Amino acid sequence: MTAEKAQTLIEALPWLARFHGATIVIKYGGHAMTEDGLRAQFADDVVFLRYAGLRPVIVHGGGPQINAHLDRLGIESSFTAGLRVTTPEAMQVVRMVLVGQVNRDVVAAVNRHGPFAVGLSGEDAHLLTAERKHAVVDGVTVDIGQVGEIVRVDADAVVALLDNGRIPVVSSIARGEDGTVYNVNADTAAAALAVALKASKLIVLTDVEGLYADWPHSTDVIRSIEATPLAEMLPGLSTGMVPKMEACLAAVRGGVPQAHVLDGRQPHAVLLEIFTDEGIGTMVLPDSHQERA
């Protein structure tokens, strides 16, 4: 082993000690989910976390896969205020793709390394309960169908799996009190689950390097930001970045010590964030924390 490799292992030591036994919620999406090489590396990373004594939980969406299936079936799909308009017909496809295809693919990738991953839907054991969400366009409330806002999380089933040494893989479907099935934003679902689990970290994988300080005029990434300054930035962010940063904000305001947005296109992004001194991406902290933990 070269000295450089040994130094990398030594650098990881304090982080291994700090996060041993910690629950880490990872929102999985973007290119990390759709490119074969990155999919395999993500599965490697999650299993590494498990062997290193952490308790990883994966929450996933599946926008590209849903779009492809809707196109094949000739079902029109549109977006309002950044949210997919989800008709009952489209909801059947969303549920089938997320629970029956994407979830199984993630579980299979992780389980190449051993009997670790167990797939769950937000419907299972009332894990996620939602109410109908409406979009607001130019001050007008718009019905966007079976799109849900999470109102309650019952994480007992996830905790039981973690206590049994498993890696829960959760698809972002929720149930309503009346049994209606809702499509919920996976970033939002990950944040809600992280709060319910009292997780040590929320990690959101995306296709940018982090939160840009002055996009599109600059690609300088904000390394660390507290809750209040982030909340002030939200109205000026791009549509795709808003739900990710809102999720990070909700997590730290709900008691999660750190939330991160990482570039999932970077190989082993999750390990680089958790186990290196510099970390990568943007870290969101509760107010009154001035330095990177």
Side-chain angles (χ1 to χ4, degrees), residues 26 28 32 37-47 58 106 205 270:
I26 306 167
Y28 181 40
L38 291 173
R39 274 205 304 267
Q41 289 173 356
F42 174 77
D44 292 346
D45 288 1
V46 171
V47 174
I58 302 169
V106 178
L205 294 181
V270 173

Side-chain angles (χ1 to χ4, degrees), residues 46-121:
V46 171
V47 174
F48 184 95
L49 295 180
R50 159 67 173 70
Y51 277 122
L54 286 77
R55 291 154 58 99
V57 178
I58 302 169
V59 179
H60 69 85
Q65 295 92 331
I66 292 168
N67 289 339
H69 210 87
L70 288 170
D71 287 345
R72 279 198 297 271
L73 295 174
I75 299 173
E76 285 193 22
S77 182
S78 62
F79 288 81
T80 298
L83 298 167
R84 184 188 300 276
V85 178
T86 309
T87 62
E89 186 181 27
M91 187 64 227
Q92 289 183 340
V93 175
V94 170
R95 190 187 198 187
M96 177 179 67
V97 171
L98 289 183
V99 180
Q101 176 190 338
V102 179
N103 190 272
R104 306 319 306 166
D105 288 346
V106 178
V107 167
V110 172
N111 283 347
R112 288 186 297 107
H113 300 278
F116 301 123
V118 177
L120 293 171
S121 161

Side-chain angles (χ1 to χ4, degrees), residues 38-291:
L38 291 173
R39 274 205 304 267
Q41 289 173 356
F42 174 77
D44 292 346
D45 288 1
V46 171
V47 174
F48 184 95
L49 295 180
R50 159 67 173 70
Y51 277 122
L54 286 77
R55 291 154 58 99
V57 178
I58 302 169
V59 179
H60 69 85
Q65 295 92 331
I66 292 168
N67 289 339
H69 210 87
L70 288 170
D71 287 345
R72 279 198 297 271
L73 295 174
I75 299 173
E76 285 193 22
S77 182
S78 62
F79 288 81
T80 298
L83 298 167
R84 184 188 300 276
V85 178
T86 309
T87 62
E89 186 181 27
M91 187 64 227
Q92 289 183 340
V93 175
V94 170
R95 190 187 198 187
M96 177 179 67
V97 171
L98 289 183
V99 180
Q101 176 190 338
V102 179
N103 190 272
R104 306 319 306 166
D105 288 346
V106 178
V107 167
V110 172
N111 283 347
R112 288 186 297 107
H113 300 278
F116 301 123
V118 177
L120 293 171
S121 161
E123 295 177 74
D124 294 335
H126 293 188
L127 175 55
L128 302 177
T129 301
E131 293 178 350
R132 185 177 291 260
K133 179 183 177 72
H134 292 84
V136 178
V137 180
D138 298 328
V140 178
T141 300
V142 179
D143 184 7
I144 49 175
Q146 289 175 236
V147 176
E149 186 81 55
I150 296 170
V151 295
R152 191 167 63 255
V153 179
D154 182 345
D156 287 353
V158 173
V159 172
L161 288 170
L162 290 170
D163 289 346
N164 197 35
R166 309 301 178 183
I167 300 173
V169 180
V170 181
S171 56
S172 55
I173 300 292
R175 63 176 291 280
E177 293 287 5
D178 62 355
T180 303
V181 181
Y182 290 105
N183 180 21
V184 297
N185 180 278
D187 301 312
T188 306
L193 189 53
V195 171
L197 290 168
K198 297 180 171 58
S200 296
K201 278 182 186 280
L202 168 67
I203 295 176
V204 179
L205 294 181
T206 184
D207 287 341
V208 295
E209 295 173 53
L211 178 61
Y212 295 120
D214 189 24
W215 178 260
H217 308 293
S218 167
T219 56
D220 291 338
V221 173
I222 297 172
R223 296 283 296 116
S224 178
I225 188 169
E226 293 184 4
T228 296
L230 175 58
E232 293 168 352
M233 287 184 68
L234 283 176
L237 299 182
S238 65
T239 303
M241 203 62 173
V242 168
K244 301 179 188 330
M245 301 317 302
E246 284 181 338
C248 291
L249 189 61
V252 298
R253 284 182 166 171
V256 178
Q258 305 172 356
H260 307 259
V261 173
L262 309 184
D263 188 350
R265 300 168 301 178
Q266 180 166 346
H268 303 297
V270 173
L271 297 188
L272 290 171
E273 170 49 46
I274 296 175
F275 295 124
T276 65
D277 294 340
E278 297 82 9
I280 60 172
T282 297
M283 177 168 64
V284 180
L285 295 168
D287 289 323
S288 80
H289 291 67
Q290 299 299 325
E291 297 181 2

